[in-house]
């Protein structure tokens, strides 16, 4: 069982966790802090990290923001490791503009999580 404190630099505090990002075709790995976002459909990773690990583009897709605007994005195949849980074959959206790694429901629905808002703690249950 892994516990992660919420990031209290946000108001209100935000659940986050550490994620190892890997490409299936290289040995490169980077450890990142990711926002846990149950409202996001997809996992989003800044493009510079995808390039750093050598992740390759899989295909083009359309992404719609919560404001309704659409834009063309590229999905990259990656492997994520969160605590002891390894998640191969994740299609991550390459973000050219942002700095945040966002774990969306495509990843979160594969995990057992406890979001304890009053304690400002997230637990990854295995």
């Amino acid at each position: 069982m892994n516990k992660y404190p919420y990031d209290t630099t946000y108001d209100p505090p935000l659940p986050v966790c550490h994620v190892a990002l890997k490409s299936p075709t290289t040995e490169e790995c980077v450890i990142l802090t990711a926002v846990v976002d149950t409202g996001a459909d997809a996992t989003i990773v800044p493009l510079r990290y995808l390039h750093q690990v050598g992740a390759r583009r899989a295909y083009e897709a359309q992404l719609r923001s919560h404001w309704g605007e659409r834009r063309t994005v590229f999905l990259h195949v990656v492997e994520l490791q969160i605590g002891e849980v390894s998640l191969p074959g994740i299609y991550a959206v390459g973000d050219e503009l942002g700095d945040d790694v966002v774990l969306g429901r495509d990843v979160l629905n594969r995990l057992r999580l406890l979001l304890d808002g009053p304690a400002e703690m997230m637990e990854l249950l295995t």
Side-chain angles (χ1 to χ4, degrees), residues 29-92:
C29 175
V30 62
I31 307 298
L32 304 166
T33 299
V35 172
V36 174
D37 187 348
T38 61
D41 296 340
T43 293
I44 302 170
V45 177
L47 204 50
R48 70 179 176 279
Y49 298 126
L50 295 169
H51 289 164
Q52 185 176 342
V53 299
R56 303 238 186 251
R57 282 185 184 176
Y59 60 91
E60 186 177 298
Q62 292 293 312
L63 181 81
R64 186 178 55 133
S65 79
H66 58 286
W67 300 111
E69 76 244 7
R70 291 186 182 276
R71 73 181 221 207
T72 300
V73 295
F74 291 97
L75 300 179
H76 299 73
V77 180
V78 296
E79 178 180 332
L80 299 178
Q81 182 149 357
I82 306 166
E84 303 300 317
V85 179
S86 181
L87 301 168
I90 300 296
Y91 288 93

Side-chain angles (χ1 to χ4, degrees), residues 4-7 12-17 34-38 115 121-122:
Y4 301 94
Y6 280 26
D7 185 339
L14 178 67
V16 296
C17 65
V35 172
V36 174
D37 187 348
T38 61
L115 299 178
M121 187 69 62
M122 184 192 88

